[in-house]
Amino acid sequence: AYFCSLLFSYMNHIRNFCIIAHIDHGKSTLADRLLEHTGSVSEREKQDQLLDNMDLERERGITIKSHAVQMVFPYNGSDFVLNLIDTPGHVDFSYEVSRSIAACEGALLVVDAAQNIQAQTISNLYLALDNGLEIIPVLNKIDLPSASPQEVTDDIVDLLGCQAADVIPASAKTGEGVEKILQAIVDKIPFPSGDKKKPLQALVFDSVYNPFRGIETYFRIINGSIKKHQKIKFVATNKAYTADEVGTLNLKQTQKPEIFAGDVGYLITGIKDAKEVKVGDTIADAHDTTAIAIEGFEDVKPMVFAGIYPVDTEDYEELRSAMEKLQLNDASLVFVPESSAALGFGFRCGFLGMLHMEIVQERLEREFGMTVITTVPNVSYAAFTKKNPEKRLLVNNPSDLPEPSKLDKVEEPYITASIITKADFVGNVMSLCIEKRGIVKNQTYLTTSRVELVFEMPLAEIVFDFYDRLKTVSKGYASFDYSPIGMRPSKLVRVDILLNSRPVDALSALLHADSAYSVGKKMCEKLKELIPRQQFDVPIQAAISAKIIARETIKALRKDVTAKCYGGDITRKRKLLEKQKKGKKRMRQVGNVEIPQEAFMAVLKLND
């Protein structure tokens, strides 16, 4: 009984929380101040963006991965254990946010006092409310000259329905308000509900590949406890292992003999195969035959698909191994093997957005030394054939689309896009969205100078350059968020690119029939600039089925072969030119044209 009361008292002193906000509203800086204020980081270890441990995160100034860390905060004569999970702000990494939210009881909602509430702030807030989290609103960057604390506080009160006194003014840069935030975390966020007497149940919310120790699994214990050397199993794979090491996630991992319900920790079992650990899985005791998986964890839904191929086909297995290790650390990456006539063996990968795709490509290069070729990205479509109009065929690759003669209809994914911008730029934003086949659904003035626009538009239209162009037309003021709303019929065609009369499957694209001609023409023009000249003329053609809709020609490299024929009859020159002509024709029939990497991404920059 004494031991149980001790455990209950320990759980009473645990708080699990995450920080949610729009991109660049100061989440990582606030996390730095919380770590410094609780003495979790020494003077020597101090640096900006402390939890962002990837070079890529520091260079771009964005958080890509969720990062868990434990702090101890003395308050009212007791020590409270605070488990913080820092989350990314970009819409492409919303899956990371959903995983962090699943492991917490509360969230700090950070709003920039200069930029006000943005689209992603609202999206992440609803995600947290759906999971029943306690929300603590924080008004950040109040030290900025351009800050409007009173106006933004009123907007937060309208959004949350809370009191103005509940909004904590703070500055992550100067450290103002950090003590109040920590006190609010202890006072308002409920301690974890869970029973230490029940069998072990722990939710896996992340994992990392360590080349020396195998896979490190990060988890949150819901019920029971986990000891060092305990026999455990993963419910999804039903494979049993021994817990070689367990511990908590301080700035550096801290070994513990046992950790209990409510705690966030790590586990090392010596697993080497990446397929054996799934994010969202449940850890249970190996001898527990009635173990059930924890519910409520979302499956990842890829939005953008692209092929990733090794530059050298011999590196295929090496690329597979790198992708599996990367998937451990980035559970939102989905891939299946595929082959292309132009590029050999590779993978068809699913990403959450274009930034996510760019980051994956960059990480493969930096962390695994793999130089890869990425094909033109596209979204997932549904096709129905005349032979079987009820059966839905999923089309992730343009080459999977049936021939037009066999095709009954094609459906494409639609999204609801929420754009918050200044009133001055409403016309520009509307023009851009209508150009991208958007339908205006709602227009709400949040204040006299800020407007929320809601559109329904095809996902394919926002995949490429929409975000960049939105920032351009709104001078950087617009914020954007989207959510899928299902499939709708559409007039889609496959545009193939033929190089020297041979189709290059990696350059095929599925496009709306109305824009197919203009995009096909632009692609041919772009490829003409990027593909180097050969010894023979190279025709570049865009085709829909058997119909050529655009053509450009890369002229041959020429030299004056008749220079040596000086004097004499004209027939000498003519004979030599005819001989040259035959040679060029033969060369063109057997010649291969090397396609540079930039050509595959040319379609993304057609508006440049």
Side-chain angles (χ1 to χ4, degrees):
Y2 173 68
F3 181 63
C4 286
S5 68
L6 269 179
L7 289 180
F8 179 74
S9 163
Y10 174 68
M11 273 186 75
N12 238 335
H13 287 73
I14 294 178
R15 301 289 184 272
N16 295 322
F17 72 100
C18 58
I19 304 177
I20 53 176
H22 190 81
I23 190 166
D24 200 30
H25 277 205
K27 291 177 303 301
S28 299
T29 314
L30 183 59
D32 292 349
R33 293 297 88 78
L34 293 173
L35 286 167
E36 283 172 22
H37 198 84
T38 54
S40 307
V41 55
S42 67
E43 281 295 327
R44 193 167 56 83
E45 291 168 317
K46 274 185 193 176
Q47 58 174 326
D48 289 341
Q49 284 176 268
L50 190 67
L51 293 181
D52 293 348
N53 50 15
M54 258 189 259
D55 290 345
L56 210 50
E57 290 177 314
R58 294 183 169 285
E59 281 169 27
R60 290 177 177 239
I62 57 172
T63 303
I64 293 164
K65 283 286 304 157
S66 295
H67 301 281
V69 68
Q70 192 174 87
M71 303 173 276
V72 177
F73 175 53
Y75 180 52
N76 285 349
S78 302
D79 281 350
F80 286 86
V81 174
L82 311 180
N83 289 312
L84 155 68
I85 303 174
D86 181 26
T87 62
H90 197 282
V91 65
D92 278 17
F93 305 112
S94 55
Y95 187 59
E96 291 281 330
V97 181
S98 74
R99 283 160 45 195
S100 305
I101 284 172
C104 296
E105 280 81 33
L108 296 181
L109 181 75
V110 179
V111 179
D112 187 327
Q115 292 187 48
N116 211 318
I117 294 162
Q118 305 274 298
Q120 192 63 31
T121 316
I122 297 169
S123 168
N124 287 342
L125 171 66
Y126 288 153
L127 200 60
L129 290 173
D130 289 347
N131 281 268
L133 266 63
E134 180 66 39
I135 307 293
I136 298 172
V138 175
L139 182 65
N140 193 21
K141 303 192 185 181
I142 57 166
D143 58 311
L144 289 181
S146 56
S148 338
Q150 196 52 55
E151 185 193 324
V152 180
T153 302
D154 292 343
D155 289 350
I156 295 171
V157 168
D158 290 345
L159 179 68
L160 291 176
C162 62
Q163 301 295 318
D166 297 336
V167 181
I168 303 169
S171 167
K173 196 173 181 182
T174 62
E176 186 184 338
V178 170
E179 178 71 23
K180 279 187 185 169
I181 293 170
L182 289 164
Q183 289 172 8
I185 290 165
V186 173
D187 293 336
K188 293 183 181 178
I189 294 176
F191 60 83
S193 59
D195 192 342
K196 294 188 168 62
K197 295 181 206 167
K198 283 188 178 176
L200 169 65
Q201 246 193 334
L203 172 75
V204 177
F205 68 86
D206 206 353
S207 52
V208 180
Y209 182 78
N210 183 323
F212 305 106
R213 310 180 76 183
I215 291 156
E216 296 172 0
T217 309
Y218 296 162
F219 59 86
R220 150 81 197 275
I221 304 182
I222 308 296
N223 290 312
S225 68
I226 186 166
K227 293 179 187 151
K228 193 175 179 177
H229 304 311
Q230 181 179 343
K231 275 268 184 197
I232 56 104
K233 70 175 176 185
F234 290 94
V235 174
T237 56
N238 206 23
K239 291 194 174 181
Y241 309 96
T242 304
D244 296 335
E245 189 183 310
V246 292
T248 52
L249 294 157
N250 296 69
L251 208 52
K252 293 193 170 77
Q253 292 170 346
T254 308
Q255 281 193 56
K256 297 273 173 77
E258 186 174 9
I259 47 178
F260 303 95
D263 250 333
V264 173
Y266 73 94
L267 164 74
I268 294 171
T269 51
I271 302 171
K272 288 282 191 282
D273 189 355
K275 291 177 192 159
E276 292 176 29
V277 179
K278 288 182 170 64
V279 169
D281 198 355
T282 303
I283 301 172
D285 190 273
H287 307 297
D288 183 6
T289 50
T290 59
I292 51 167
I294 297 160
E295 288 180 8
F297 197 79
E298 272 187 43
D299 270 343
V300 61
K301 296 180 187 75
M303 296 283 190
V304 177
F305 294 84
I308 284 188
Y309 293 84
V311 172
D312 189 343
T313 25
E314 288 174 9
D315 296 337
Y316 173 71
E317 283 304 325
E318 209 177 310
L319 179 61
R320 180 200 290 276
S321 167
M323 295 280 276
E324 283 172 358
K325 287 169 188 172
L326 189 56
Q327 193 182 37
L328 260 181
N329 195 231
D330 182 357
S332 44
L333 171 65
V334 177
F335 64 91
V336 290
E338 74 163 4
S339 62
S340 150
L343 300 169
F345 292 104
F347 298 94
R348 168 87 2 194
C349 303
F351 307 97
L352 295 181
M354 291 299 290
L355 177 66
H356 184 212
M357 180 180 123
E358 209 180 302
I359 294 293
V360 165
Q361 194 178 344
E362 190 97 8
R363 286 185 73 183
L364 281 169
E365 211 155 298
R366 289 188 184 204
E367 295 172 30
F368 303 98
M370 295 297 309
T371 309
V372 292
I373 291 171
T374 312
T375 64
V376 177
N378 63 279
V379 299
S380 189
Y381 299 95
F384 299 84
T385 55
K386 287 174 182 170
K387 192 177 178 184
N388 196 349
E390 296 302 310
K391 192 183 176 190
R392 176 192 289 252
L393 297 169
L394 206 63
V395 179
N396 289 336
N397 193 340
S399 58
D400 297 341
L401 189 76
E403 285 300 311
S405 54
K406 296 175 185 172
L407 204 56
D408 181 35
K409 63 171 180 175
V410 183
E411 290 182 349
E412 66 175 327
Y414 265 69
I415 56 152
T416 297
S418 163
I419 298 166
I420 296 176
T421 183
K422 281 196 168 184
D424 312 2
F425 306 116
V426 170
N428 297 354
V429 171
M430 276 193 172
S431 304
L432 172 65
C433 292
I434 290 163
E435 181 196 322
K436 296 284 188 181
R437 294 192 281 140
I439 305 154
V440 183
K441 282 291 166 188
N442 199 2
Q443 182 176 343
T444 317
Y445 276 80
L446 303 171
T447 65
T448 50
S449 61
R450 293 175 72 248
V451 188
E452 182 182 21
L453 299 165
V454 178
F455 291 88
E456 283 182 3
M457 58 201 302
L459 176 65
E461 295 292 343
I462 69 154
V463 161
F464 299 138
D465 60 348
F466 179 78
Y467 196 66
D468 295 343
R469 286 186 65 194
L470 177 67
K471 286 291 181 190
T472 306
V473 299
S474 67
K475 297 188 180 171
Y477 280 108
S479 71
F480 168 70
D481 184 43
Y482 64 85
S483 55
I485 52 169
M487 310 290 274
R488 293 185 187 178
S490 187
K491 228 165 78 184
L492 289 170
V493 291
R494 187 178 77 214
V495 175
D496 292 314
I497 298 294
L498 284 74
L499 212 57
N500 201 14
S501 307
R502 295 173 198 164
V504 181
D505 56 353
L507 286 172
S508 297
L510 289 172
L511 302 167
H512 194 264
D514 297 347
S515 60
Y517 170 74
S518 61
V519 174
K521 191 170 187 316
K522 280 181 184 175
M523 280 179 78
C524 290
E525 286 167 2
K526 198 85 177 171
L527 290 169
K528 185 184 177 183
E529 293 168 24
L530 293 168
I531 293 171
R533 289 170 73 185
Q534 310 292 317
Q535 292 284 341
F536 50 92
D537 282 3
V538 179
I540 303 168
Q541 295 161 309
I544 297 173
S545 193
K547 184 185 175 188
I548 304 295
I549 58 167
R551 171 178 170 141
E552 292 287 336
T553 307
I554 302 172
K555 288 292 175 191
L557 288 166
R558 298 187 182 278
K559 71 172 188 178
D560 187 1
V561 289
T562 58
K564 58 186 178 184
C565 295
Y566 49 88
D569 192 4
I570 186 71
T571 51
R572 284 183 65 208
K573 284 187 180 179
R574 204 166 284 151
K575 212 159 128 188
L576 186 57
L577 288 168
E578 282 300 318
K579 191 178 166 188
Q580 279 284 324
K581 197 172 167 185
K582 281 179 190 167
K584 293 276 182 190
K585 191 177 175 184
R586 192 163 57 247
M587 196 188 283
R588 185 175 152 191
Q589 283 168 350
V590 298
N592 272 330
V593 181
E594 284 289 316
I595 307 169
Q597 159 73 26
E598 306 90 76
F600 292 103
M601 301 305 281
V603 74
L604 307 185
K605 300 184 179 69
L606 291 181
N607 286 311
D608 286 5

